[in-house]
Amino acid sequence: MSEAWLVIAALAVATIALKAAGPAMVGNREPSPRVLAVTGLLAPALLAGLVVYETLGAADGPGIELDARLGGLAAAVGALVLRLPMLAVVAVAAVATAVLRLLS
Amino acid sequence: MTVTTVQVRARSPIADGVRAGLPLALPNIALGISFGVLAAPVMGAGAAIAMSVVVCSGGAQFAAVSVLAAGGGALPAIAAGMLVNARWVAMGFAVGPYLPGSLRARVLQAQAIVDASFVIASRDDGSFDRGLLIGATLPQVSSWMAGTVVGVLAGPVLGDPDALGLDAIFVAFYLALLWEEVRRRGAYAAALGGGAIALVLLPVAPVGIPVVAAAAAALIGLRRA
């Protein structure tokens, strides 16, 4: 199926370019304090966006899909409150989501 | 070999990064498995594995394959994958100043940018640790590829990965990373802002855009700069 290989080739090149764009343009100069104040907060801002997208995003195109992933999110919060390690947090979320799907 | 070199090696940032990335290996294997299971029937076993090797980006691969599975065609699939990865432009600008060497060396090192490694390499003062970035990516990338192979091979036995709740792994993975991050000064507000932006854009914007736009919430850092 050549369509798949076209997608793979294009995305491989695009991903390299997207990652390289910033470092290729900014050089090695030490950023100003104002820039650092922003870059230091980039991780939490993007992670929160990713949590929202992965929990509520629809499989195809724009939209919000409320499903068992919400239960997985709640279970993950519980595991984090209990200070469980990353692997346990991920496992608890998957099990909770699977059980909810089984019951619905 | 002297004792000194052993100590130096044990303290190398790349080794520290590998250690920091190791706990993420198993979640990445599970994600790789679910990708392999989903992608093999859509694009073929070889293509699914090749994609994890040369694209090596969970979110973009899932987005592109779900477009292909729905019969959306190659160009929309490429666009979806690129938009999901657009957040790496923002990360690249932040990390760029800390990647040494020639243009080619910097571009090469930038390929180590993946979500969790960006977070691990991110220091409280807004700067980034290049060694941690590269080290933390190694176990993640290799486990993502290995998981894909397992998923492709075991797909017929495993059935629907969603029935196993594997799609919730991304949710828990990013949430666990965020949980550590919000202890940082100002991070709580940035996270709330980023989440709100994504939530508002999710119903209206194409896939990927809500996440890139969430980066704008980091601008609240300017208030205290």
Side-chain angles (χ1 to χ4, degrees):
Chain A
M1 189 178 170
S2 59
E3 190 182 53
W5 290 103
L6 175 66
V7 171
I8 292 169
L11 276 184
V13 174
T15 301
I16 291 169
L18 290 169
K19 287 181 175 183
M25 280 189 256
V26 291
N28 287 126
R29 266 184 313 130
E30 182 70 19
S32 72
R34 284 172 65 81
V35 170
L36 285 172
V38 173
T39 55
L41 294 180
L42 212 46
L46 282 167
L47 284 171
L50 284 163
V51 169
V52 168
Y53 165 65
E54 294 295 346
T55 308
L56 301 170
D60 38 9
I64 285 184
E65 234 169 65
L66 301 175
D67 61 22
R69 288 173 297 176
L70 275 172
L73 179 73
V77 169
L80 287 164
V81 169
L82 293 175
R83 296 170 182 275
L84 296 183
M86 166 69 113
L87 187 59
V89 174
V90 167
V92 164
V95 170
T97 305
V99 169
L100 280 173
R101 289 211 172 106
L102 197 66
L103 297 177
S104 62
Chain B
M1 193 187 293
T2 66
V3 176
T4 325
T5 53
V6 171
Q7 278 176 343
V8 166
R9 200 169 286 174
R11 281 178 193 167
S12 98
I14 291 189
D16 287 345
V18 171
R19 267 191 292 278
L22 271 180
L24 310 176
L26 276 176
N28 268 290
I29 286 179
L31 288 171
I33 290 175
S34 66
F35 177 76
V37 173
L38 288 173
V42 177
M43 54 185 7
I49 295 170
M51 193 179 202
S52 282
V53 174
V54 298
V55 181
C56 205
S57 150
Q61 290 179 229
F62 274 107
V65 167
S66 65
V67 171
L68 286 179
L75 285 181
I78 294 165
M82 285 183 67
L83 286 172
V84 169
N85 277 351
R87 67 186 185 283
W88 285 344
V89 176
M91 294 187 196
F93 274 101
V95 171
Y98 305 96
L99 303 179
S102 64
L103 176 66
R104 204 157 107 197
R106 289 210 305 276
V107 163
L108 196 66
Q109 294 170 81
Q111 302 312 312
I113 298 174
V114 297
D115 297 318
S117 302
F118 176 81
V119 175
I120 288 167
S122 173
R123 297 196 195 102
D124 284 358
D125 63 359
S127 67
F128 289 84
D129 187 312
R130 160 190 169 273
L132 285 179
L133 178 82
I134 295 171
T137 295
L138 296 174
Q140 293 185 76
V141 160
S142 44
S143 54
W144 167 252
M145 294 174 190
T148 304
V149 174
V150 174
V152 165
L153 297 176
V157 187
L158 284 177
D160 179 11
D162 282 6
L164 301 172
L166 292 188
D167 56 337
I169 290 180
F170 268 128
V171 176
F173 185 75
Y174 290 129
L175 184 71
L177 293 174
L178 179 61
W179 203 266
E180 293 294 315
E181 281 301 295
V182 289
R183 290 175 193 165
R184 191 178 286 197
R185 189 162 159 256
Y188 206 72
L192 283 178
I197 291 170
L199 192 60
V200 167
L201 290 178
L202 212 49
V204 288
V207 65
I209 296 290
V211 177
V212 195
L219 291 172
I220 62 159
L222 290 176
R223 280 197 326 186
R224 57 189 174 84

